[in-house]
Amino acid sequence: MYPKLIAFDLDYTLWNLWIDTHVTGPLRRSGDIVVDRYNAPIEFYTDVPAILRRLRDQGVVIAACSRTSAPDLARQALTLILVPGKDNEPLQPAIELFDDLQIYPGSKLKHFRAVHAKTGIPYEEMLFFDDEPRNREVERLGVTFHLTPTGVDNEILEAGVRAWSARHST
Ligand SMILES: [Mg+2]
């Protein structure tokens, strides 16, 4: 069982870089990968594309909540990075798998209040993956927070889902 909504931070949660300091626009596709002005690659951690596809196919609402100061670059990256299509259809832009993008600096309490206002989904039905302990403050709203010190992979995802489940299985 999955929560109704799963949200992901971007930097060091879905990809291993800070989009505002490590990356210089414009971004472009070079073969299968996305690179910046200096040909530095921008790509998701290995398991992420299939995870996004799987969650989407299961009907989970997917959100990105990032406090980066480079929201335009983050959106560009999500638009250029490709993920598997449904039922072996062609690859598609990752951004199409996200139902909501909250990308701007500041406390993530604001990001989650916006997600809640937009989707109407209760905070208790939200699971959030993020690499920074300070963002655990969203638990005050009722969101389940799961720390991702080494980024999202299949094991971390399942551990997060189990943690959410344990809190809500009474
Ligand atoms: Mg981060």
Side-chain angles (χ1 to χ4, degrees), residues 9-125:
D9 168 51
L10 296 175
D11 297 346
Y12 291 99
T13 296
L14 294 189
W15 51 49
N16 68 335
L17 47 84
W18 279 305
I19 197 89
D20 61 354
T21 53
H22 295 165
V23 171
T24 309
L27 310 183
R28 63 188 171 86
R29 247 183 236 137
S30 172
D32 288 344
I33 61 163
V34 177
V35 296
D36 79 349
R37 175 188 293 266
Y38 303 109
N39 292 316
I42 299 132
E43 53 195 350
F44 284 151
Y45 289 114
T46 312
D47 293 347
V48 168
I51 285 172
L52 294 175
R53 181 77 265 158
R54 192 161 75 242
L55 294 178
R56 181 79 178 198
D57 291 351
Q58 303 258 359
V60 176
V61 175
I62 303 175
C65 293
S66 163
R67 50 198 296 173
T68 183
S69 55
D72 292 343
L73 217 45
R75 279 167 194 273
Q76 261 185 52
L78 291 173
T79 303
L80 288 168
I81 295 173
L82 299 176
V83 296
K86 190 175 173 63
D87 300 331
N88 299 318
E89 281 176 22
L91 297 174
Q92 71 181 109
I95 199 165
E96 293 178 1
L97 274 61
F98 288 87
D99 298 278
D100 193 15
L101 298 176
Q102 300 293 336
I103 306 178
Y104 40 81
S107 162
K108 292 203 180 175
L109 292 170
K110 183 175 177 187
H111 297 64
F112 275 88
R113 287 188 180 113
V115 169
H116 175 63
K118 186 171 171 191
T119 63
I121 294 173
Y123 293 115
E124 291 69 25
E125 284 287 337

Side-chain angles (χ1 to χ4, degrees), residues 127 129 146 153-165:
L127 168 61
F129 293 92
H146 198 82
D153 60 23
N154 289 324
E155 280 180 31
I156 293 274
L157 184 92
E158 292 314 318
V161 170
R162 278 198 304 276
W164 169 81
S165 234

Side-chain angles (χ1 to χ4, degrees), residues 131-148:
D131 66 301
E132 286 190 78
R134 65 177 173 171
N135 295 322
R136 188 180 288 279
E137 64 180 354
V138 299
E139 293 214 321
R140 298 212 308 254
L141 300 171
V143 175
T144 297
F145 179 90
H146 198 82
L147 196 64
T148 64

